[in-house]
Amino acid sequence: MQKITLPERPDWRAHAQEVGFTFADMHGEPYWDETSAYAFSLTQIENDIEDPSTELHAMCREAVAEIIASEELMTRLAIPDAYRDLVAESWRRGDPEIYGRFDLAYDGTNPAKLLEYNADTPTSLYESAAFQWQWLEDQLKAGALPEGTDQFNGIHEALVARFGDVFEQDSDLHFTAVADNPEDYGTVEAMGWAAREAGLGAHYCDLDKIGLSDDGHFLDDQDRRIAVLFKLYPWEDLLRDDYAAHIQGSGCLFLEPAWKALLSNKGLLPVLWQMFEGHPNLLPAFFEADVADALAGRGPAAPACADAFDRAAAELAEAHVRKPILSREGASVTIHQSGKVIEQSQNSDYAEHPRIVQAYAPLPTFDGFRPVIGSWIVGETCAGIGIREDRSRITQDLSRFKPHYILA
């Protein structure tokens, strides 16, 4: 794994505007950055990222079955009482999943470590699936990369195949996101593009324009019934929204399905550690309420996890991260080392939620930036990666997206 300086394409900004990549710069900072790219060997991609990601997803599916069978775990993951059956039934029915994104710490040598799973509403899809592939083709054509250079990126093709597997030809799907958010719309449009290539109808409607018919069906802004809805709106918010009471009787299939609320929740991480302790791609993780006294030297860990905590105590004491179970873009995350906070997010959103404690896996540093690997799951298989890097140890909303390639 290397970071290689490369010439920028002279017309990439004009091309970005032309294809609707309007968030290539955000908050006055570059978001897409092709002044350099990350290079991997094929072995690193296949053995260290692709295969482990597919295995991690299978483990996550096992965790879903564990969680829905436990009222205690449903409580710890803050699934509202009124909608626990909704979540559980979506799993038992086999409601289909489309995609998700693991965030991995990987230095090119040691096993990749799962930091969290963006299983419900992951963004950076367009730039991962489409724009970085165009970058590769353009750089090959310009001679900036040697002939035979490849990229781990079958994301779009996998999405097309997934939509085709799940839905019959000419089925109508609806797609929604919060209005006036270019990044969210880019993700939704990338999904709609894949659905259309799969021979499906794809209709977009702003989230705030979705209505409800007298007989309880969701309607778009043209009063068409919504039978299938891809929503870039997280389940943790939707289940606390007034419209949640209408989901059960609406006859609408949601993408991602309600059971994905269990995987997009950082409470998943201690569940995975309890089920698969010692797995090379997992970090020791616990619910903070179970281990806070033990970490502070005030008493033992909770009996149910005491033995596992003792086995991880030295690693956690050296360094650990505290994260709210519901959090995005690094909000309210703190990194502790040798009893001191060495970094914390300035964004305190989500601070009211219970937290988990996870062993700290430092991101590698390249030219002052720390990359995190976004490993894309489509269906149940890893289909490609996207990379974001940040100067901070905590990857936040000012991170940059970097293209990657596989060394020829």
Side-chain angles (χ1 to χ4, degrees):
M1 180 180 177
Q2 307 169 54
K3 187 177 181 181
I4 308 295
T5 299
L6 290 167
E8 293 184 85
R9 295 168 294 167
D11 59 349
W12 78 261
R13 289 184 183 277
H15 175 65
Q17 289 296 318
E18 180 183 336
V19 297
F21 187 16
T22 58
F23 52 98
D25 294 291
M26 290 194 293
H27 313 293
E29 295 281 341
Y31 169 59
W32 172 268
D33 180 5
E34 60 178 67
T35 58
S36 56
Y38 285 92
F40 299 84
S41 70
L42 183 60
T43 298
Q44 288 173 329
I45 291 293
E46 291 181 342
N47 296 350
D48 296 351
I49 297 174
E50 182 180 9
D51 290 347
S53 295
T54 297
E55 182 180 354
L56 283 169
H57 182 70
M59 292 158 56
C60 287
R61 288 179 61 89
E62 289 187 49
V64 173
E66 188 86 3
I67 295 166
I68 64 169
S70 167
E71 282 296 315
E72 179 189 358
L73 288 176
M74 293 285 250
T75 299
R76 303 198 92 165
L77 271 62
I79 304 301
D81 287 350
Y83 302 113
R84 290 181 185 178
D85 286 345
L86 175 75
V87 171
E89 287 167 11
S90 77
W91 170 256
R92 295 185 185 116
R93 273 195 312 267
D95 286 359
E97 58 182 315
I98 302 297
Y99 81 142
R101 192 193 76 227
F102 288 118
D103 282 351
L104 305 174
Y106 179 62
D107 62 7
T109 302
N110 297 297
K113 299 293 186 180
L114 174 61
L115 303 177
E116 60 189 61
Y117 191 12
N118 302 278
D120 181 20
T121 58
T123 55
S124 78
L125 178 63
Y126 171 75
E127 48 273 37
S128 295
F131 204 75
Q132 72 164 338
W133 183 258
Q134 185 64 56
W135 167 87
L136 177 75
E137 291 187 329
D138 290 345
Q139 295 291 50
L140 282 168
K141 186 177 180 180
L145 293 172
E147 186 176 347
T149 300
D150 202 355
Q151 187 177 91
F152 180 34
N153 188 0
I155 302 167
H156 174 72
E157 294 79 7
L159 286 170
V160 173
R162 180 62 176 164
F163 277 118
D165 288 343
V166 171
F167 298 102
E168 294 182 1
Q169 287 280 301
D170 298 321
S171 297
D172 273 337
L173 278 59
H174 279 78
F175 296 80
T176 191
V178 174
D180 302 321
N181 185 317
E183 185 178 10
D184 285 3
Y185 183 74
T187 295
V188 170
E189 180 54 32
M191 295 294 283
W193 173 27
R196 287 188 287 270
E197 279 202 20
L200 309 177
H203 310 289
Y204 177 80
C205 179
D206 286 339
L207 184 68
D208 62 355
K209 293 177 182 173
I210 293 177
L212 192 68
S213 70
D214 291 340
D215 56 356
H217 295 130
F218 291 115
L219 303 174
D220 69 9
D221 50 2
Q222 297 181 40
D223 288 334
R224 294 174 296 197
R225 180 185 169 187
I226 300 174
V228 180
L229 180 65
F230 173 87
K231 41 110 209 119
L232 205 69
Y233 183 58
W235 276 107
E236 66 258 27
D237 292 337
L238 181 53
L239 292 180
R240 291 161 177 81
D241 191 284
D242 290 343
Y243 273 80
H246 302 286
I247 293 173
Q248 191 82 44
S250 68
C252 181
L253 174 65
F254 282 81
L255 305 174
E256 294 296 297
W259 61 264
K260 278 292 195 82
L262 307 178
L263 299 186
S264 62
N265 185 308
K266 292 173 186 63
L268 167 71
L269 300 169
V271 175
L272 286 174
W273 188 251
Q274 180 182 6
M275 295 176 67
F276 305 103
E277 182 182 345
H279 190 281
N281 299 116
L282 294 178
L283 293 163
F286 301 88
F287 290 103
E288 184 185 50
D290 288 345
V291 300
D293 286 346
L295 278 171
R298 295 192 298 262
C305 67
D307 290 345
F309 176 81
D310 289 344
R311 290 187 287 271
E315 185 176 356
L316 293 169
E318 181 180 347
H320 65 267
V321 183
R322 301 193 186 207
K323 306 174 178 180
I325 60 171
L326 304 175
S327 172
R328 292 170 185 272
E329 296 182 329
S332 300
V333 171
T334 57
I335 301 175
H336 303 249
Q337 192 168 53
S338 303
K340 297 181 180 179
V341 175
I342 61 168
E343 192 151 332
Q344 66 182 65
S345 171
Q346 298 305 304
N347 182 346
S348 60
D349 292 348
Y350 308 100
E352 74 276 13
H353 296 295
R355 297 186 294 184
I356 63 116
V357 173
Q358 182 185 45
Y360 177 47
L363 299 173
T365 304
F366 295 85
D367 300 327
F369 285 89
R370 297 174 170 89
V372 62
I373 310 294
S375 180
W376 289 95
I377 300 293
V378 179
E380 298 183 25
T381 305
C382 184
I385 62 172
I387 300 172
R388 291 170 299 138
E389 64 174 19
D390 203 313
R391 289 188 173 90
S392 168
R393 293 181 180 89
I394 302 169
T395 307
Q396 301 178 70
D397 60 355
L398 292 180
S399 62
R400 299 182 178 191
F401 189 97
K402 303 292 292 187
H404 80 277
Y405 62 95
I406 301 172
L407 294 163

